[in-house]
């Protein structure tokens, strides 16, 4: 069955302006960083999805502040399409989010290839191997924009898995 996966991702800022990223590692040992978040469930709003996914992956209770960016990824690798068809075409809805509690709960479900989470400055984030790749070098632009930023569509042949 052909499908396009809807994902909700968070640009989660600390009170001192740092950004939370999930540290991940490919099967070949390469490090990359991803925004916390993931797939939307049926009958779940995007706002509910981003809050649930961030809680699962980081243990933090958050709420979306505003819709910040949209992008699309299409993976072209035939092996990945065969093994993970539900992940090979997705739209990523990126929300600016804030924590609503100081309490950090236990992570219930880490993201695929996630090894931990790290707080970095927006400037540092722009120098990291960040996914979605359309966000590379544009973190501060998205954070400072008065409205949502369209980051574009990309076809990717490299596999993060």
């Amino acid at each position: 069955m052909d499908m396009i996966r809807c994902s909700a991702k968070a640009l989660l800022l600390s009170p001192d302006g740092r950004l939370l990223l999930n540290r991940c590692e490919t099967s070949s040992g390469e490090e990359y960083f991803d925004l916390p978040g993931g797939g939307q469930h049926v009958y779940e709003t995007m706002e509910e999805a981003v809050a649930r996914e961030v809680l699962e992956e980081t243990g933090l209770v958050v709420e979306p502040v505003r819709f910040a960016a949209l992008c699309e990824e299409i993976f072209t690798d035939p092996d990945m399409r065969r093994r993970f068809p539900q992940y090979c075409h997705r739209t990523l809805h990126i929300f600016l989010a804030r924590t609503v509690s100081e309490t950090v709960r236990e992570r219930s479900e880490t993201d695929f290839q996630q090894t931990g989470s790290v707080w970095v400055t927006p400037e540092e984030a722009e120098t990291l191997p960040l996914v979605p790749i359309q966000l590379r070098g544009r973190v501060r632009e998205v954070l400072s924009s008065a409205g949502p930023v369209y980051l574009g569509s990309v076809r990717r042949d490299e596999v993060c898995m």
Side-chain angles (χ1 to χ4, degrees):
M1 168 160 97
D2 294 335
M3 65 183 285
I4 300 172
R5 182 178 176 87
C6 291
S7 293
K9 295 287 191 168
L11 284 168
L12 180 59
L13 289 174
S14 67
D16 65 356
R18 291 179 299 144
L19 180 67
L20 186 67
L21 299 176
N22 286 343
R23 178 183 284 129
C24 304
E25 189 175 299
T26 66
S27 55
S28 62
E30 295 176 53
E31 185 177 65
Y32 68 97
F33 297 84
D34 195 359
L35 298 177
Q40 179 186 31
H41 291 171
V42 175
Y43 309 120
E44 180 180 53
T45 67
M46 278 292 166
E47 293 87 353
E48 292 166 342
V50 75
R52 175 187 50 78
E53 284 284 346
V54 172
L55 177 62
E56 289 174 357
E57 295 173 7
T58 70
L60 295 169
V61 178
V62 304
E63 67 180 3
V65 174
R66 69 173 174 87
F67 179 61
L70 177 72
C71 62
E72 176 184 39
E73 292 180 320
I74 301 170
F75 289 89
T76 59
D77 180 82
D79 185 54
M80 184 174 172
R81 284 184 173 183
R82 181 185 55 76
R83 293 183 353 188
F84 307 105
Q86 70 277 23
Y87 296 99
C88 289
H89 188 176
R90 62 186 183 161
T91 57
L92 296 100
H93 302 79
I94 302 169
F95 291 86
L96 182 62
R98 67 176 187 88
T99 57
V100 296
S101 170
E102 298 289 322
T103 305
V104 179
R105 300 181 184 179
E106 180 127 358
R107 295 177 200 191
S108 61
E109 185 179 324
T110 57
D111 203 8
F112 183 66
Q113 297 182 323
Q114 181 182 349
T115 60
S117 297
V118 60
W119 291 97
V120 300
T121 66
E123 294 79 14
E124 290 170 325
E126 290 187 350
T127 68
L128 297 172
L130 187 62
V131 294
I133 62 173
Q134 297 98 311
L135 195 55
R136 292 179 185 175
R138 298 185 70 185
V139 172
R140 290 178 289 177
E141 173 192 349
V142 171
L143 291 174
S144 65
S145 176
V149 175
Y150 179 60
L151 297 171
S153 299
V154 66
R155 291 185 186 274
R156 295 180 57 186
D157 57 356
E158 81 265 13
V159 179
C160 290
M161 297 176 188

